[in-house]
Amino acid sequence: MVEKHEEDTSSSDSNSTEIPIPLEDLSLNKNSQISQDAEWVSGQAITPVVKEQKKFQPISNFETMAHLLKGNIGTGIFAMPSAFLNSGIWVGSVLLPVMAIICTHCMQMLVKSAAVMKKREGDFSISYADVAETACKTSSNPKYAKYARAFSITINVFICITQFGFCCVYLVFTSTNLQQVVEYYAELGWDVRIYMCFLTIPLIFLNWIRNLKLLAPVSLVANVLQMSSIVVVFYYIFRDPLPPVSSVPAFGSWGGLPLFFGTTVFTFEGIALVLPLQKDMRRPWDFKGWTGILNTGMVIVTCIYIAMGFYGYLQYGDDILGSITLNLPQDEVLAQVVKILLVIAICGNYAMQFYVPIPIMWPTLSKYAARYTSNDLAAEYMFRTFMVLVTLLLAAAIPKIDLFISLVGAFGSSFLALIFPPILEYVTYAPNISKITITKEILILLFGVIGFATGTYAAILAIVQEFSGTE
């Protein structure tokens, strides 16, 4: 067991632009005042406009569970059958829960570390990066203090990489599904990159929206459409009799396991969501624990992912494509409508994911932009447009859904979900930490590093082989 220690430390300076909000780990201060404009997207607490301080209105356990499920069930679910193709149906069925347990435990690490920071510092801004910075500054070992800012910046860098990676995946996903629908009816013969260019035009204007409140209806519609599409996909999976399990291999290939790792980490990378959720709860103590909301929600998410991966791969076998939506029958209106609705939904999700890195990047870049223009608003619009075009270029370079998901998951998500949490936990509790805990942290860290290295290499190799025509 980890022996938690407390020490008196003066409050450290924070460079965060977020409103300081205490982590309500054990009790809720009924007089806490925060802006109702403050919301969180993909786990990042964002306050686009602060008009007036209003009384804090916590959310119920049911609402927390709904937000947790919504934040962890995304486009990655449609790539799960392809991930099972890489791993094999039984190996995937075993490894996916193992990955879920490890990723969920890392989420618990972050929650516990944040609770310790609350006891040490009191009120401080709740975010993944701020918890890491505060842990270094208040550690019993003073040598960690000099790495505080670097740790915080590194986490924010990987958050930006991962979020823009999500946007690239979304652009590939939408353009590929749109291409399949249009080509079936019109037979234009256009390359998927042409559809990317057309979709980029509305995305540019959609991402000019600077107020999160205006994006909230977009997010609501996107979530409803996406959840409805998942139900329809399951309908098509079970509509026809399933082949015997023996019709697909139990084990895929050793080379496919790193790709499976990348896809699963991509789907389970919701770690930055947990702190804002717990902070907003009416009963935050219900979030942790073996039967807490976090564990319960992740069990539900894992079951849905296993069902999609197992039965989707079993139904379509080796014919499964990067997204199972591409395997839906093209001669049925319902299937085609689902693809169009998903295109609309994912465009909305693109805007929400794109919103996250802007408050991280733009405050610093705006200082340099001020040297060339006095119009801050125009400069920000140019920056937003430029970043959308960057995602277009990256998506056009790798227009393969499954490979792009594996690359983003292995390269970006593995750091946030697997590598940083054990480091953070060690810095938080050291030197009063047991050998068992240290061993656990080292094993998770090694697992994350090996997965990052092999997954990134395998994804890049598969991409090169895919577009060079070699095996």
Side-chain angles (χ1 to χ4, degrees), residues 7 14 21 132 174 190 194 261 270 287 294 364 410 464:
E7 57 183 352
S14 173
I21 301 172
T174 54
W190 288 356
I194 297 178
F261 171 87
F287 194 72
L294 177 57
T364 300
V464 172

Side-chain angles (χ1 to χ4, degrees), residues 11 62 96 100 111 132 136 143 155 282 310 317-318 358 439 443 451:
S11 296
F62 178 80
L96 187 58
V111 171
C136 291
K143 70 179 182 180
I155 290 177
R282 182 178 297 115
F310 185 95
D318 291 339
I358 298 301
T439 302
L443 290 176

Side-chain angles (χ1 to χ4, degrees), residues 23 109-110 112-115 117 124-138 151-152 155 275 424 428:
L23 174 65
M109 286 184 183
L110 178 60
K112 293 177 181 178
S113 296
M117 296 307 104
F124 75 104
S125 182
I126 291 298
S127 74
Y128 196 160
D130 287 322
V131 171
E133 182 173 358
T134 306
C136 291
K137 288 182 177 180
T138 62
F151 198 5
S152 173
I155 290 177
L275 293 184
L424 175 59
T428 299

Side-chain angles (χ1 to χ4, degrees), residues 21-27 111 114-115 118 122 124 126 275 278-279:
I21 301 172
L23 174 65
E24 305 296 344
D25 183 64
L26 300 176
S27 62
V111 171
K118 167 65 169 62
F124 75 104
I126 291 298
L275 293 184
Q278 190 191 35
K279 177 265 299 179

Side-chain angles (χ1 to χ4, degrees), residues 138-172:
T138 62
S139 174
S140 297
N141 193 332
K143 70 179 182 180
Y144 295 140
K146 62 182 179 181
Y147 301 111
R149 189 59 183 156
F151 198 5
S152 173
I153 292 175
T154 302
I155 290 177
N156 277 332
V157 166
F158 275 96
I159 286 175
C160 292
I161 291 174
T162 304
Q163 294 303 129
F164 283 126
F166 290 163
C167 291
C168 294
V169 169
Y170 292 168
L171 189 53
V172 175

Side-chain angles (χ1 to χ4, degrees), residues 18-94:
E18 300 168 350
I19 295 179
I21 301 172
L23 174 65
E24 305 296 344
D25 183 64
L26 300 176
S27 62
L28 182 65
N29 180 0
K30 305 269 191 229
N31 297 322
S32 297
Q33 300 290 316
I34 67 170
S35 170
Q36 286 299 299
D37 286 326
E39 298 192 20
W40 26 262
V41 182
S42 239
Q44 299 304 303
I46 298 174
T47 309
V49 178
V50 180
K51 297 180 180 178
E52 58 179 319
Q53 299 297 311
K54 300 179 182 179
K55 188 174 181 179
F56 174 55
Q57 298 179 357
I59 59 177
S60 66
N61 287 4
F62 178 80
E63 291 172 312
T64 304
M65 178 66 75
H67 287 307
L68 183 65
L69 295 177
K70 181 183 71 174
N72 282 278
I73 300 177
T75 54
I77 189 173
F78 300 113
M80 288 313 303
S82 176
F84 273 64
L85 172 66
N86 290 319
S87 66
I89 193 163
W90 289 119
V91 173
S93 299
V94 173

